[in-house]
Amino acid sequence: MSERRTVTVEVNGERRSGSVEPRTTLADFLRDELGLTGTHLGCEHGVCGACTVLLDGRSVRSCLMLAVQADGCSLRTVEGLAAEGGELHPVQEAFSAEHGLQCGFCTPGFLMATLELLSESPQPSEEQIRSHLSGNLCRCTGYHHIVKAVLRAAETMRGDVAASRA
Amino acid sequence: MKPAPFEYVAARSLDEALAALADAGEGGKVLAGGQSLVPLLALRLARPDVLVDVNQVAGLDRVVVDDHRLVIGALARHRAVELDEQVRRAFPLVSAAAAKIGHVAIRNRGTVGGSVAHADPAAEWPALLLALDGEVEVASPRGRRVVSAGDLYAGYLTTTLEVDEVVCEVRATLPEGRTGTSFLELARREGDFAIVGVAAVLAIEGDEVRHCRLALSGVGSTPVRARGAEELLAGAAADDAAIAAAAREVVEEIDPPGDIHGSADYRRKVAGVLVRRALSAARDEIGRMVA
């Protein structure tokens, strides 16, 4: 009753296709079809935020979307953050420097949600950070270090923008 | 793979969606933002035969403020409503309520029509519509009809709509004149469903309350209008004593359920406190307009 369909997306700037059943979630498509296992699955029903990716620039829970719904869309996952040579993205660098992770399972989701926040609000308050990341659960850090990491990333990225303008 | 198999139809027009739903009958289900439906699919609590995806239907996501009227297409995302400047100015309670729906990633996908049709009694939109004399326009192969918010909710997660009907538009109205509003809710954590929520609309003429609408979420199997308290306030002076009396009336007239998040008594108490605060905030908003 549910024949396979071809889904084509642009992931981290690269055009990728795969064949899926309609019931396949975007998260399973990314992980199983495209081999992008950096997007993690925690609860698989929209509670934990670990599977957060950017869809056309906005954060979405990839476990709450069907892969067929993303056909033709542009996606950004954690694999798209670091530079080609392996140099970490400023958000990744800040999470590392501020101990914004311990086991790392939730980190891909936090990084993607942070990226959205900083694209909307380059200078977020602590309250804004906590609110924007409220949909992401972390059982290791107690969140304080994550908030510090986001503040640090924001500062670095503002500096980068200023430097590129200079 | 967590969901059970289903047939998937990506409708490109409303007519296409309606035809697919009519064909599917009881086994059909509309997929809008998916933020409630996809978890139900994953847990196999919902096992539709045919899923009719309406996300590609054009023209269903407008957000229009026209004086005292608010028109929202069923596919408008919560986040779009939350960030809409015109909505913030004319319907501040709607902006406040939209910002309390889930988390950003949920608001980026979840739709107004989806929430209205899902009929979760703890959700924000159903209570908002009741407080704003709201109505929904629904379409089916038989044509279009308008259902008032008061006639929309039949029970827990259940509307009075037929299986082949689709919500296309949601409309809300504020009374004219000096009007104040407030939306408050209590939840354990940001983004959780409310234990109790209150939407209040107050219009004052001279020193008297000309119009009052009070709707609560989380205190029944449907969103609930506190008609007793509304009647008590109508024609009364909008002073602290009248507001306190209205809050006491709400505590008397509701019959909330008890669950792991709060007992019935606790919900009643919270409802009284939130109603008092919401009415005071609405009244103070009017006071600031005059000042």
Side-chain angles (χ1 to χ4, degrees):
Chain A
M1 69 191 284
S2 50
E3 81 250 38
R4 296 180 80 85
R5 292 176 188 235
T6 302
V7 171
T8 304
V9 291
E10 191 197 293
V11 193
N12 305 322
E14 200 185 326
R15 206 175 133 94
R16 303 283 304 270
S17 287
S19 165
V20 295
E21 277 188 63
R23 61 175 166 152
T24 309
T25 63
L26 176 58
D28 283 341
F29 175 68
L30 288 169
R31 291 175 55 83
D32 301 341
E33 289 294 317
L34 304 187
L36 295 170
T37 52
T39 297
H40 290 169
L41 277 166
C43 71
E44 293 189 69
H45 62 276
V47 175
C48 75
C51 68
T52 304
V53 300
L54 299 186
L55 175 91
D56 294 332
R58 294 185 174 279
S59 67
V60 300
R61 294 180 159 177
S62 59
C63 77
L64 293 190
M65 258 190 89
L66 303 174
V68 287
Q69 295 186 288
D71 189 35
C73 292
S74 166
L75 293 164
R76 193 158 182 205
T77 67
V78 69
E79 287 91 345
L81 293 187
E84 294 237 334
E87 191 197 338
L88 294 181
H89 186 280
V91 175
Q92 291 172 307
E93 191 62 55
F95 268 66
S96 168
E98 295 290 348
H99 302 281
L101 68 150
Q102 188 180 313
C103 85
F105 190 87
C106 67
T107 311
F110 270 99
L111 295 175
M112 301 321 287
T114 299
L115 216 61
E116 179 188 45
L117 168 66
L118 296 183
S119 72
E120 291 175 0
S121 311
Q123 196 164 359
S125 65
E126 183 174 330
E127 194 187 343
Q128 263 178 302
I129 294 169
R130 288 185 182 276
S131 174
H132 206 97
L133 301 182
S134 66
N136 293 71
L137 301 183
C138 172
R139 301 286 79 162
C140 299
T141 61
Y143 303 102
H144 291 288
H145 293 299
I146 291 178
V147 173
K148 278 206 238 164
V150 177
L151 286 168
R152 185 189 186 113
E155 204 181 317
T156 312
M157 288 169 74
R158 286 199 305 276
D160 288 352
V161 171
S164 73
R165 279 192 191 139
Chain B
M1 223 161 325
K2 299 200 83 184
F6 49 77
E7 195 188 315
Y8 172 79
V9 179
R12 275 152 303 175
S13 70
L14 190 58
D15 285 342
E16 224 177 279
L18 294 175
L21 273 178
D23 285 346
E26 292 283 342
K29 190 87 188 152
V30 177
L31 173 62
Q35 303 301 289
S36 297
L37 180 55
V38 178
L40 292 174
L41 295 175
L43 299 166
R44 301 204 177 191
L45 292 169
R47 300 185 64 151
D49 299 321
V50 181
L51 213 51
V52 181
D53 186 348
V54 293
N55 281 279
Q56 292 173 43
V57 176
L60 276 187
D61 62 351
R62 65 194 188 126
V63 178
V64 182
V65 175
D66 180 13
D67 200 16
H68 287 77
R69 237 166 115 74
L70 173 63
V71 177
I72 303 178
L75 269 182
R77 315 279 167 182
H78 305 307
R79 184 83 169 144
V81 178
E82 173 193 355
L83 299 178
D84 190 291
E85 273 308 317
Q86 281 192 305
V87 173
R88 195 186 303 277
R89 277 196 296 272
F91 287 81
L93 81 166
V94 171
S95 304
K100 291 184 195 301
I101 300 171
H103 310 282
V104 175
I106 288 172
R107 299 199 289 276
N108 278 338
R109 290 292 296 168
T111 66
V112 176
S115 174
V116 165
H118 187 56
D120 191 311
E124 287 77 5
W125 281 108
L128 272 179
L129 283 193
L130 278 186
L132 290 168
D133 288 340
E135 59 187 28
V136 297
E137 186 167 313
V138 300
S140 75
R142 296 175 300 288
R144 296 214 177 197
R145 70 184 179 112
V146 175
V147 183
S148 75
D151 293 330
L152 186 60
Y153 295 107
Y156 184 69
L157 302 184
T158 311
T159 65
T160 55
L161 302 183
E162 304 290 335
V163 291
D164 62 352
E165 286 184 316
V166 177
V167 174
C168 329
E169 197 164 273
V170 169
R171 301 192 279 253
T173 316
L174 274 176
E176 303 209 1
R178 296 164 58 203
T179 304
T181 64
S182 177
F183 184 91
L184 298 175
E185 65 176 40
L186 178 80
R188 290 284 300 273
R189 294 158 300 200
E190 175 163 345
D192 282 7
F193 272 105
I195 294 172
V196 177
V198 173
V201 176
L202 201 63
I204 292 179
E205 205 168 83
D207 291 323
E208 278 184 9
V209 175
R210 182 169 59 80
H211 172 106
C212 173
R213 286 284 182 280
L214 275 173
L216 289 91
S217 64
V219 301
S221 60
T222 63
V224 169
R225 233 180 97 183
R227 287 173 190 275
E230 290 176 5
E231 279 165 27
L232 207 61
L233 271 175
D239 56 18
D240 287 345
I243 286 174
R248 281 195 300 275
E249 180 63 24
V250 169
V251 173
E252 290 297 315
E253 70 179 299
I254 59 173
D255 183 20
D259 61 22
I260 190 170
H261 304 295
S263 65
D265 277 346
Y266 178 70
R267 281 194 159 82
R268 225 177 266 123
K269 189 161 189 167
V270 171
V273 172
L274 290 185
V275 164
R276 179 168 50 76
R277 289 183 189 165
L279 286 171
S280 304
R283 178 197 57 192
D284 295 346
E285 194 177 277
I286 297 172
R288 282 196 301 275
M289 276 175 222
V290 178

